[in-house]
């Protein structure tokens, strides 16, 4: 017996309209600029020098000596600190009683007029080693003159004869 | 006696029975227009480029030395390479989210002159389209002039990036970023 085949298959195919799709590619660019402080464009400038005049009878010239160093730059907030490496201008010759072998001084450092770091070597009696002044925060990147002053003090006791030396160090530290 | 009975037979044509029936199904489809990136390859032509991270939706390119020891801006360059497909005419545009590499938390400046942006030039090449290009200058660039490709296309997308070197002042310290966006749209 033949079969009567009725096929009724309904296939509905529909495609809804889709929105046009844009292709997007992000390229993220990154760079880090390191912090630095430089003086006249370098990190190790040559030392300045000041020979404190002392008269024939041991009188110390107490006039303030000023150094202006141009183009001191820190590209971020920085700490400025003045330090005496010896604690005073000192002679290796021992001082007998009623004499001294130390010329104390006040040194200052001011970067781009952001405030002065000051070291007074007389604050600590004697000159046993490094003495550090206050630290000044520049509060931001700075570029300008670094002004350094040295004001020697007349000792209350006579100075023994000999060679005297110290290093006033101004440190610019990029934070 | 036999009776004769006449019987009339009427022949009637009955409709033929069909053993198969056709049901038509109409099939339709609508292929949407689209563009897509197919792959991203290693950058080429790199000058002063450090690490790179490449991905189909987003990549990162790091400039190795943005500035020297005294903050002077250094040159850099690279070519970004990808492949893409558009099944219809398309257009390419590039844009800069920041308008140059910038620090989102910039270093304050107390005194003196410091740069706080690294500018660059970018030019994109897609199929036969004319170059789409931008030069950053501080303001976000929403879109370069669009460049059109008149047919469906699958092929290379390249973007050349190079620094606009500015040595007029040192760069302020910090982390600088920008996003260069490449968009290919079906037309």
């Amino acid at each position: 017996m033949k079969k009567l085949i009725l096929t009724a298959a309904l296939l509905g195919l529909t495609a809804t309209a889709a929105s046009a799709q844009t292709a997007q590619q992000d390229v993220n660019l990154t760079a880090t600029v390191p912090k630095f402080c430089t003086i006249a464009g370098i990190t190790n400038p040559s030392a300045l020098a000041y020979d404190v005049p002392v008269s024939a009878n041991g009188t110390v010239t107490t006039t303030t000596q000023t150094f202006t160093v141009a183009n001191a730059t820190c590209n971020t907030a920085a700490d400025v600190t003045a330090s005496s490496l010896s604690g005073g201008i000192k002679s290796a010759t021992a001082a007998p009683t009623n004499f001294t072998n130390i010329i104390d001084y006040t040194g200052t450092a001011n970067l781009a007029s952001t405030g002065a770091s000051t070291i007074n070597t007389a604050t600590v009696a004697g000159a046993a080693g490094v003495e550090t002044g206050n630290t000044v925060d520049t509060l931001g990147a700075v570029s300008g003159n670094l002004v350094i002053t040295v004001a020697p003090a007349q000792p209350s006791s006579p100075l023994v004869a000999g060679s005297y030396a110290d290093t006033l160090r101004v440190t610019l530290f990029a934070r | 006696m036999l009776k004769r009975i006449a019987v009339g037979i009427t022949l009637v044509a009955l409709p033929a029975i069909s053993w198969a029936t056709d049901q038509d199904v109409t099939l339709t489809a609508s292929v949407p227009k689209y563009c897509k990136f197919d792959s991203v390859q290693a950058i080429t032509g790199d000058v002063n480029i450090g690490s790179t991270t490449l991905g189909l939706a987003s990549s990162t390119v790091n400039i190795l030395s943005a500035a020297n020891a005294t903050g002077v801006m250094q040159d850099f360059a690279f070519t970004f390479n990808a492949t893409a497909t558009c099944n219809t005419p398309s257009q390419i545009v590039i844009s800069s989210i920041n308008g140059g590499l910038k620090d989102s938390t910039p270093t304050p400046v107390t005194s003196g002159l410091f740069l706080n942006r690294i500018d660059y030039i970018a030019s994109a090449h897609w199929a036969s389209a004319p170059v789409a290009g931008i030069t950053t200058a501080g303001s976000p660039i929403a879109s370069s002039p669009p460049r059109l490709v008149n047919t469906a296309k699958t092929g290379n997308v390249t973007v050349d990036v190079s620094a606009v070197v500015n040595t007029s002042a040192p760069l302020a310290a910090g982390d600088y970023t920008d996003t260069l966006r490449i968009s290919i749209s079906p037309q």
Side-chain angles (χ1 to χ4, degrees):
Chain A
M1 186 167 120
K2 289 184 182 174
K3 282 186 179 178
L4 177 63
I5 300 171
L6 294 175
T7 59
L10 292 175
L11 296 173
L13 287 178
T14 59
T16 57
S19 59
Q21 179 173 315
T22 294
Q24 183 172 287
Q25 167 79 209
D26 282 350
V27 181
N28 300 305
L29 305 175
T30 64
T32 297
V33 177
K35 308 172 187 177
F36 72 86
C37 286
T38 57
I39 295 175
I42 60 177
T43 56
N44 55 343
S46 301
L48 303 167
Y50 175 50
D51 186 50
V52 178
V54 180
S55 72
N57 60 1
T59 302
V60 174
T61 297
T62 58
T63 306
T64 299
Q65 179 74 17
T66 299
F67 302 88
T68 300
V69 181
N71 191 19
T73 301
C74 296
N75 74 341
T76 187
D79 290 337
V80 180
T81 310
S83 304
S84 163
L85 298 191
S86 299
I89 309 170
K90 185 179 177 180
S91 171
T93 305
T97 305
N98 298 324
F99 283 82
T100 184
N101 62 351
I102 301 171
I103 302 173
D104 284 313
Y105 64 94
T106 297
T108 70
N110 192 332
L111 173 56
S113 301
T114 55
S117 171
T118 303
I119 174 62
N120 182 353
T121 63
T123 303
V124 175
V130 177
E131 296 176 10
T132 302
N134 62 303
T135 295
V136 172
D137 179 358
T138 64
L139 302 178
V142 290
S143 181
N145 291 333
L146 173 62
V147 178
I148 303 170
T149 67
V150 177
Q154 178 66 51
S156 57
S157 301
L159 289 161
V160 293
S163 297
Y164 287 67
D166 187 12
T167 297
L168 170 62
R169 175 162 291 171
V170 177
T171 301
L172 310 182
F173 177 73
R175 297 205 310 274
Chain B
M1 177 164 110
L2 290 174
K3 284 189 180 177
R4 291 194 183 193
I5 299 171
V7 177
I9 300 174
T10 300
L11 293 179
V12 176
L14 297 172
I17 297 174
S18 146
W19 298 101
T21 299
D22 290 333
Q23 170 67 61
D24 284 344
V25 180
T26 300
L27 304 176
T28 62
S30 177
V31 176
K33 302 175 182 178
Y34 72 84
C35 290
K36 67 183 182 70
F37 281 96
D38 299 311
S39 69
V40 175
Q41 289 92 44
I43 64 169
T44 55
D46 49 303
V47 173
N48 188 21
I49 298 298
S51 62
T52 61
T53 303
L54 303 177
L56 207 48
S58 175
S59 301
T60 300
V61 177
N62 176 256
I63 299 166
L64 186 62
S65 297
N68 67 6
T70 57
V72 175
M73 190 185 297
Q74 301 297 288
D75 192 15
F76 68 87
F78 66 94
T79 296
F80 177 82
N81 300 287
T83 60
T85 296
C86 291
N87 69 345
T88 188
S90 62
Q91 74 175 24
I92 183 169
V93 298
I94 54 177
S95 56
S96 164
I97 304 302
N98 290 344
L101 285 85
K102 298 179 182 176
D103 191 337
S104 60
T105 54
T107 299
V109 175
T110 299
S111 172
L113 183 62
F114 293 87
L115 301 178
N116 59 6
R117 190 181 77 245
I118 302 171
D119 286 319
Y120 59 92
I121 298 170
S123 55
H125 307 258
W126 163 231
S128 58
V131 170
I134 58 171
T135 301
T136 65
S139 297
I141 301 175
S143 172
S144 63
R147 298 303 185 216
L148 188 62
V149 177
N150 291 321
T151 62
K153 188 68 181 180
T154 183
N156 295 328
V157 180
T158 62
V159 181
D160 299 318
V161 179
S162 60
V164 178
V165 180
N166 183 350
T167 59
S168 63
L171 277 160
D175 295 320
Y176 292 66
T177 61
D178 191 9
T179 295
L180 172 63
R181 179 162 290 168
I182 310 162
S183 300
I184 306 177
S185 304
Q187 302 300 297

